[in-house]
Amino acid sequence: MNPDALRGHMDALLLSVLEREPLHGYAIIEALQERSGGALNVPTGTVYPALRRLERIGYLSSEWATVGGRKRRTYRLTDSGRKQLQGERSAWREFASVIGGVLRAESTAVG
């Protein structure tokens, strides 16, 4: 998938993945790939800065945990993040409807 196609949608994707359960960074990347049927292969250099930004604005919280002897930061959706995700979903439905209307093939030929 073209990385430019994700521009402007990364926040919604990350919030959506974290809606189910708290996850550490690499597990978030794996969840994006799994939920997209392998179409999304988002680099860590894109995901981690976005997670830190979402935490700074209050949509995520995080905590350090040691798993299998390794320290990992686990991210969790906040109440504010849940509200933001609802807004992102609404905006996406509107966007998809408008773009779909434009791209839909005409049922009758002009000419």
Side-chain angles (χ1 to χ4, degrees):
M1 175 170 272
N2 181 343
D4 288 336
L6 295 179
R7 193 166 293 145
H9 303 292
M10 184 56 64
D11 290 2
L13 293 170
L14 294 173
L15 295 175
S16 180
V17 166
L18 289 166
E19 181 179 33
R20 293 181 185 174
E21 63 183 326
L23 295 169
H24 61 83
Y26 186 71
I28 292 169
I29 293 169
E30 288 179 326
L32 285 169
Q33 195 165 27
E34 180 183 313
R35 288 175 64 175
S36 69
L40 295 179
N41 189 12
V42 184
T44 58
T46 299
V47 172
Y48 286 105
L51 289 170
R52 286 191 294 274
R53 184 176 44 73
L54 290 169
E55 184 175 21
R56 270 194 316 272
I57 58 179
Y59 296 158
L60 300 178
S61 63
S62 71
E63 58 187 30
W64 286 99
T66 303
V67 179
R70 298 179 73 183
K71 281 186 84 172
R72 293 183 175 167
R73 181 170 275 205
T74 301
Y75 295 88
R76 172 185 316 275
L77 200 59
T78 64
D79 289 341
S80 179
R82 288 185 194 286
K83 288 177 188 171
Q84 179 64 21
L85 177 56
Q86 288 174 346
E88 294 279 355
R89 284 184 171 140
S90 177
W92 173 255
R93 283 190 294 272
E94 182 179 343
F95 175 80
S97 175
V98 169
I99 299 302
V102 173
L103 295 179
R104 207 168 292 123
E106 292 293 325
S107 59
T108 60
V110 177

